[in-house]
Amino acid sequence: MTATLLAFAGVAGAGAIPPDADGALDALNNSPRHGEWVDITEGRAASARWGDSVRAWVSYPERATRAPVVIVIHEIFGLTDWVRSVADQFAAEGFIAIAPDLLSGLGPDGGGTPSDRQQAVALVRALRVEDTTRRLSSVARYGLSLPAANGRFGAVGFCWGGSTTFNFGELLT
């Protein structure tokens, strides 16, 4: 799998920013773009602690041509409405944006990101690089397999997701 660096300068609408955390859910509910939850199968579970799928939010751009894929890696608080709104903003810029919940299977009752921030932080801190990298590779393969994808992808992350993006990128080069 080869990653392509995506250039954001000159993209139509560049400069718009996603809403803050308080306005994220409202922005998502009022977005003209299509967004949906998907379960991305990994094909195997690394341990009994993890399931074999990653739940992710996918936002699609409004365009007639195929689009590059960008994986939006969440911060240390897990997958939040704010991260989903960032994915929606990438879709507004013309990308298929996938925001995976890297805590899928680890939250309460086998779910994903818990609503309790401290619990989410503890779970994220316990993640292993090889597990997150395996999951992100599954997300990338899923994104590239979408009929609307043009074969190019990149990743962006925030806070903890920033370092995770670097770790993921190093393995792809």
Side-chain angles (χ1 to χ4, degrees):
M1 186 178 324
T2 303
T4 302
L5 179 61
L6 302 175
F8 298 103
V11 174
I17 59 172
D20 63 11
D22 292 333
L25 188 56
D26 240 9
L28 284 166
N29 289 336
N30 293 310
S31 174
R33 288 162 294 284
H34 174 71
E36 65 184 1
W37 288 104
V38 298
D39 290 312
I40 301 168
T41 302
E42 290 185 74
R44 67 177 181 87
S47 71
R49 186 173 173 222
W50 290 62
D52 69 348
S53 68
V54 179
R55 188 152 171 84
W57 177 256
V58 182
S59 292
Y60 296 92
E62 295 178 308
R63 61 188 281 172
T65 59
R66 292 181 179 202
V69 174
V70 63
I71 301 170
V72 182
I73 303 173
H74 61 71
E75 56 195 338
I76 200 163
F77 303 118
L79 183 58
T80 61
D81 290 337
W82 179 76
V83 174
R84 291 176 45 226
S85 74
V86 171
D88 183 69
Q89 186 60 45
F90 273 106
E93 302 296 338
F95 297 90
I96 299 168
I98 306 174
D101 185 351
L102 295 171
L103 295 178
S104 296
L106 300 175
D109 299 320
T113 297
S115 57
D116 179 277
R117 279 189 147 198
Q118 294 305 324
Q119 188 179 10
V121 168
L123 288 171
V124 166
R125 286 186 173 152
L127 293 175
R128 298 180 330 166
V129 170
E130 55 270 20
D131 291 329
T132 56
T133 300
R134 187 190 71 255
R135 286 184 146 197
L136 290 171
S137 293
S138 295
V139 171
R141 281 191 300 275
Y142 170 83
L144 291 170
S145 75
L146 292 171
N150 71 3
R152 297 182 350 188
F153 87 96
V156 62
F158 300 89
C159 180
W160 171 85
S163 62
T164 301
T165 301
F166 282 114
N167 290 332
F168 182 54
E170 279 184 358
L171 295 172
L172 298 175
T173 57

